[in-house]
Amino acid sequence: MRYSYSVCRQNIASMARRWLVLGEGVRRLHVSSAFKAKVAMSRFEPGTSISYEKLHENIDIVRKRLNRPLTLSEKIVYGHLDDPVGQDIARGRTYLRLRPDRVAMQDATAQMAMLQFISSGLPKVAVPSTIHCDHLIEAQIGGVEDLKRAKEVNQEVYNFLATAGAKYGVGFWKPGSGIIHQIILENYAYPGVLLIGTDSHTPNGGGLGSICIGVGGADAVDVMAGIPWELKCPNVIGVKLTGSLSGWTSPKDVILKVAGILTVKGGTGAIVEYHGPGVDSISCTGMATICNMGAEIGATTSVFPYNHRMKTYLNKTGRADIAALADEHKDDLIPDKGCKYDQVIEINLSELKPHINGPFTPDLAHPVSEIGAVAEKNGWPLEVKVGLIGSCTNSSYEDMGRAASLAKQALDKGLKCKAAFTVTPGSEQIRATIERDGFSKILRDVGGVVLANACGPCIGQWDRKDVKKGEKNTIVTSYNRNFTSRNDANPATHAFVTSPEIVTAMAIAGTLKFDPETDYLTAANGEKFKLEPPNGDELPARDFDPGQDTYQHPPAESGSVMVDVSPTSTRLQLLEPFDKWNGKDLEDLQVLIKVKGKCTTDHISAAGPWLKFRGHLDNISNNMLIGAINIENDAVNKIKNRLTGEYGGVPDVARHYKANGLSWVVVGDDNYGEGSSREHAALEPRHLGGRVILVKSFARIHETNLKKQGMLPLTFADPTDYDKIRPDDKISITGLATFAPGKPLKGVVKHGDGSQDIITLNHTFNENQVEWFHAGSALNRMKELQ
């Protein structure tokens, strides 16, 4: 493995980070265009960010080697290969060693990522990196009040992140800056860049022709350490778009339709690449919406080809220099003619109808025209209690403008929303601009509450008061996920995801049975009227208002910066290395829980109130698997302690097993670990004595996160073997002395009645990842190699 920590490289990286603030618009510091152009070019210096010339050179090498046309995603991914000459390349099979250009971390995941980086002993990050404070702000009253309260409640964590960023060369976006993915789109994404982010919706940047991939914190540490980053060579799913969007149909409907086709795991191991003549009818931020929610189909990432809509967005956000360079290298930023996809889906945008997906899963797709009847048939509450617009998926200027156009129509007829209505701006720039242009006032006047520039209810940061826990109700959001309990911790909340336009219309009408294309509303004077289709400018005519400056650049000299973690803190905890493998098979692992059905990272490591412990591994481990359904009794967080015979919470039983020297295994179903990138879902089982997660199939990020922490993520070679496991079984994993890529392991399942089953267990470890297991974690292995 190769490290690079020269002073020269650090200076170049520092200059690149500086440009990324200046280059997001002359507006922020009003730098001269000549100076801006000069620093913009420095962004493409070797060692800081891959240059378009280097990208082209690598693409040329790989194209000649493979002797075939390349898809756009292949161009960008292979263009960032550490060794384009010698790298083995086979879609869906080989592991690629890549050199990402940049790392981005949101505050909830950045805590553990920075704690791991600190424990690595390295002095500075080797690539431009940023931290974004967006997850810890709870929606309660309104933007100003909620932000103020968050700064007080989270002062210790924000101070840690700010000082750690300053110490190790990481830019820090303060609370109130906005949602990480919107900030990336406005400042850091550009056509052809390879960026990794510690959040599953990092693919949002694909709307600007970027390959942006969600990862766990340990992956981010590798990149920040200057180590080539591994990614299984993705398959490529092509989505050909024809026709054009119009009327009530929005970009959100494209991904809602695709989710219905591919399901929550149909994109696993693949990049979704949109192409075709219909692309040009979608705005840059609309493309970002589509890419963002590609996480809900399990895709590695999603991407659109460079076009004039992206150029316009770059120009409007102060990056005309980047747009000019992208124009010069456009052939490398679009797919080759004749390139082949592993699967092709075709969608005619002219025929696409508005969709609404849910409840409880983002791939349950319905046309809006049918959802009322479907809800009645299934007994879902028809009354819309709350409509929520915004989030990283749909909080652009265009989104807010189109929602405001509908609100204005209602106000003109003397109406306000029948449902509660919340609005989340995506960034300080969006907030300031929609405030200046009057959208915020319209949305408030119709009954809306404008929340802080943060994730808020989308990730469970919602102090909801209008219903009691367990009360059956319906909410409609423009978010991306609608898993059980995700938004408000109420398992009886039926959450549906749709476009901001449909959310606004349903909030005005107050019911799922309202189809704005055909149904009428009653004005205050008794007149019947239909809402006209929404309209809104793609970008502000008067340019963006930057709002408050919320960025902290790391100092050139950081020797005097202190990063304190109190040993008595309940929110932050320095990490201790995990134990190494002892060289033996794993004998008699107790089944901790056999999970029934869907088990997302929300089930494994809940968010909401638990977010405050994201920097304290022991405290947050108290939420491990408390949302998973125990197949033995269909209960949540109630399992039998096989040592005492008593029932207890999952974390409590796990702690008891660990204290008594009993290692354990979790048994799960399909697509285990779907959802957020949170590596806490892998850290917690490891911390509490788990050794193996045995399932039918894994979601990509979670499987990698488990490997990084020294766990064994294994799958049944025969999925029906899941049925052979009993909740009181013990399982031995044999064959570890010859553990190697492509070689299955054996599981000896020992039943309480003395009988046994021998089953074959598959894995996807490569040689480097086997070393992670031997060392006890990827971080341990990194230290061994220093």
Side-chain angles (χ1 to χ4, degrees):
M1 293 185 180
R2 196 165 69 221
Y3 295 83
S4 174
Y5 304 115
S6 69
V7 173
C8 178
R9 177 162 181 171
Q10 289 304 318
N11 288 343
I12 292 171
S14 177
M15 182 178 286
R17 282 189 297 274
R18 184 181 184 192
W19 173 80
L20 288 170
V21 182
L22 303 179
E24 56 93 21
V26 190
R27 57 186 176 77
R28 192 168 285 277
L29 290 183
H30 304 287
V31 295
S32 71
S33 59
F35 178 72
K36 183 178 145 196
K38 180 180 178 182
V39 231
M41 288 305 297
S42 76
R43 189 185 200 296
F44 301 103
E45 291 286 345
T48 299
S49 181
I50 199 162
S51 69
Y52 279 132
E53 288 76 16
K54 181 63 176 175
L55 184 74
H56 178 77
E57 179 185 323
N58 286 0
I59 291 170
D60 219 28
I61 291 169
V62 173
R63 188 188 283 114
K64 289 174 181 176
R65 284 184 54 201
L66 299 180
N67 193 31
R68 61 172 175 80
L70 300 177
T71 67
L72 169 60
S73 49
E74 287 182 308
K75 287 182 178 182
I76 301 175
V77 171
Y78 303 162
H80 285 79
L81 286 170
D82 184 53
D83 178 14
V85 175
Q87 172 72 60
D88 188 16
I89 300 171
R91 283 187 196 172
R93 193 166 55 82
T94 59
Y95 280 86
L96 306 178
R97 291 166 63 80
L98 302 167
R99 291 283 182 179
D101 301 312
R102 167 168 285 277
V103 174
M105 300 167 280
Q106 41 95 336
D107 51 356
T109 53
Q111 294 172 64
M112 196 57 67
M114 292 308 297
L115 286 166
Q116 289 178 88
F117 188 83
I118 290 169
S119 67
S120 75
L122 300 172
K124 292 280 185 179
V125 297
V127 301
S129 304
T130 48
I131 293 167
H132 304 258
C133 294
D134 63 358
H135 271 57
L136 299 179
I137 303 169
E138 184 182 51
Q140 190 180 81
I141 301 171
V144 175
E145 299 91 339
D146 293 346
L147 178 58
K148 180 182 178 182
R149 186 178 65 259
K151 288 179 178 179
E152 294 170 354
V153 171
N154 303 307
Q155 181 180 8
E156 179 187 16
V157 171
Y158 291 148
N159 181 62
F160 167 73
L161 293 174
T163 54
K167 183 74 172 178
Y168 297 102
V170 179
F172 179 69
W173 289 85
K174 301 172 187 177
S177 301
I179 305 173
I180 177 173
H181 312 303
Q182 183 67 29
I183 297 289
I184 289 171
L185 200 71
E186 293 173 355
N187 297 275
Y188 301 138
Y190 65 87
V193 74
L194 175 60
L195 178 150
I196 69 164
T198 60
D199 189 279
S200 57
H201 293 105
T202 302
N204 190 79
L208 204 42
S210 310
I211 291 292
C212 299
I213 301 175
V215 299
D219 275 341
V221 171
D222 279 357
V223 179
M224 291 190 293
I227 299 172
W229 173 61
E230 287 190 340
L231 176 72
K232 195 166 190 178
C233 188
N235 291 316
V236 188
I237 297 172
V239 178
K240 184 178 180 181
L241 302 179
T242 60
S244 61
L245 292 175
S246 63
W248 284 91
T249 307
S250 74
K252 185 67 164 277
D253 297 307
V254 176
I255 186 57
L256 295 176
K257 178 71 172 180
V258 170
I261 294 170
L262 288 177
T263 76
V264 290
K265 64 176 184 175
T268 303
I271 292 177
V272 179
E273 185 172 312
Y274 294 85
H275 62 282
V279 167
D280 285 343
S281 76
I282 305 173
S283 67
C284 178
T285 52
M287 290 186 262
T289 290
I290 294 167
C291 291
N292 177 296
M293 203 175 155
E296 298 352 300
I297 57 174
T300 301
T301 193
S302 302
V303 68
F304 277 83
Y306 178 62
N307 68 359
H308 73 280
R309 309 299 284 263
M310 296 181 191
K311 180 177 181 176
T312 300
Y313 187 80
L314 287 168
N315 289 337
K316 273 286 188 181
T317 51
R319 293 171 287 173
D321 301 312
I322 301 296
L325 286 167
D327 282 343
E328 292 176 23
H329 298 86
K330 185 171 182 179
D331 286 347
D332 290 329
L333 305 173
I334 59 175
D336 286 342
K337 290 182 179 179
C339 66
K340 300 297 183 184
Y341 297 101
D342 296 286
Q343 178 183 352
V344 176
I345 297 168
E346 186 164 338
I347 296 175
N348 185 336
L349 301 179
S350 300
E351 298 175 355
L352 183 64
K353 290 293 185 180
H355 272 61
I356 183 168
N357 289 20
F360 306 124
T361 184
D363 59 343
L364 186 58
H366 322 273
V368 170
S369 59
E370 299 175 11
I371 187 62
V374 173
E376 282 185 314
K377 179 181 177 182
N378 288 284
W380 302 335
L382 291 173
E383 180 190 3
V384 174
K385 285 283 190 181
V386 190
L388 306 99
I389 66 169
S391 88
C392 64
T393 318
N394 278 112
S395 56
S396 68
Y397 183 83
E398 181 181 35
D399 289 328
M400 295 299 168
R402 285 170 65 87
S405 76
L406 297 173
K408 181 67 164 58
Q409 292 180 55
L411 289 169
D412 288 346
K413 297 292 185 178
L415 298 184
K416 289 192 174 185
C417 291
K418 289 185 177 178
F421 187 46
T422 70
V423 179
T424 306
S427 68
E428 170 60 8
Q429 176 172 270
I430 295 297
R431 183 210 62 78
T433 307
I434 65 172
E435 193 72 51
R436 179 198 69 192
D437 292 351
F439 298 166
S440 295
K441 183 178 187 306
I442 293 170
L443 294 170
R444 283 193 291 263
D445 287 348
V446 85
V449 175
V450 179
L451 300 174
N453 316 320
C455 300
C458 184
I459 48 93
Q461 285 285 56
W462 184 15
D463 185 21
R464 189 178 181 192
K465 302 291 189 183
D466 64 303
V467 296
K468 296 178 181 178
K469 191 169 183 178
E471 183 180 339
K472 197 173 177 181
N473 74 101
T474 284
I475 65 172
V476 180
T477 83
S478 69
Y479 303 163
N480 39 48
R481 292 204 173 120
N482 57 347
F483 303 144
T484 303
S485 301
R486 178 175 174 88
N487 301 124
D488 62 359
N490 181 3
T493 293
H494 292 56
F496 296 83
V497 291
T498 184
S499 68
E501 299 94 314
I502 296 298
V503 172
T504 305
M506 286 187 169
I508 293 168
T511 176
L512 279 180
K513 291 194 73 173
F514 182 68
D515 177 4
E517 289 193 298
T518 59
D519 294 342
Y520 287 80
L521 294 168
T522 303
N525 64 3
E527 172 194 353
K528 299 288 186 181
F529 74 99
K530 280 174 62 176
L531 292 170
E532 294 296 324
N535 64 81
D537 292 337
E538 178 179 348
L539 294 163
R542 291 192 286 162
D543 294 332
F544 284 107
D545 181 337
Q548 299 179 43
D549 187 356
T550 53
Y551 177 75
Q552 171 188 291
H553 180 66
E557 298 297 330
S558 60
S560 62
V561 177
M562 299 297 294
V563 183
D564 291 324
V565 177
S566 169
T568 60
S569 173
T570 61
R571 298 196 61 177
L572 296 166
Q573 180 186 48
L574 293 173
L575 297 174
E576 294 292 332
F578 290 129
D579 57 300
K580 295 183 178 181
W581 176 57
N582 64 8
K584 301 177 181 179
D585 286 337
L586 298 175
E587 297 285 351
D588 293 332
L589 302 177
Q590 179 66 57
V591 173
L592 177 69
I593 180 174
K594 182 178 179 182
V595 177
K596 177 181 178 181
K598 184 188 281 279
C599 191
T600 71
T601 49
D602 281 80
H603 295 87
I604 304 167
S605 177
W610 291 95
L611 282 170
K612 62 178 173 286
F613 298 125
R614 284 286 182 88
H616 197 293
L617 179 55
D618 193 56
N619 281 346
I620 199 170
S621 293
N622 289 323
N623 78 356
M624 186 191 72
L625 286 160
I626 62 174
I629 297 175
N630 179 11
I631 200 169
E632 185 177 22
N633 54 11
D634 279 339
V636 172
N637 199 29
K638 186 179 180 182
I639 60 173
K640 189 171 185 178
N641 185 324
R642 306 298 168 180
L643 296 180
T644 66
E646 299 176 351
Y647 280 87
V650 181
D652 300 323
V653 174
R655 287 184 187 277
H656 188 258
Y657 288 168
K658 181 181 179 181
N660 286 274
L662 178 61
S663 297
W664 47 264
V665 54
V666 170
V667 178
D669 213 316
D670 264 320
N671 207 32
Y672 186 89
E674 171 193 345
S676 298
S677 68
R678 62 192 69 157
E679 66 179 339
H680 299 77
L683 281 158
E684 293 170 29
R686 183 74 162 100
H687 176 64
L688 294 185
R691 300 300 292 141
V692 175
I693 308 293
L694 174 57
V695 301
K696 293 180 182 178
S697 65
F698 284 101
R700 174 189 64 87
I701 300 176
H702 187 59
E703 182 180 25
T704 301
N705 286 345
L706 289 165
K707 292 178 184 178
K708 287 278 186 178
Q709 304 306 333
M711 294 285 287
L712 271 181
L714 304 174
T715 56
F716 297 103
D718 179 356
T720 62
D721 284 343
Y722 168 87
D723 299 321
K724 295 178 180 177
I725 310 295
R726 303 170 192 170
D728 62 343
D729 285 345
K730 290 189 175 181
I731 303 175
S732 296
I733 309 298
T734 66
L736 289 175
T738 56
F739 185 28
K743 184 177 181 181
L745 297 169
K746 291 292 183 184
V748 181
V749 184
K750 302 175 183 179
H751 305 300
D753 61 7
S755 62
Q756 293 186 355
D757 281 301
I758 309 296
I759 60 178
T760 301
L761 306 176
N762 292 335
H763 65 85
T764 60
F765 281 77
N766 62 24
E767 290 180 2
N768 286 336
Q769 293 167 351
V770 170
E771 292 303 317
W772 300 344
F773 174 74
H774 289 161
S777 71
L779 190 57
N780 288 357
R781 181 59 177 159
M782 182 193 297
K783 291 180 181 178
E784 289 177 354
L785 293 171
Q786 286 184 34

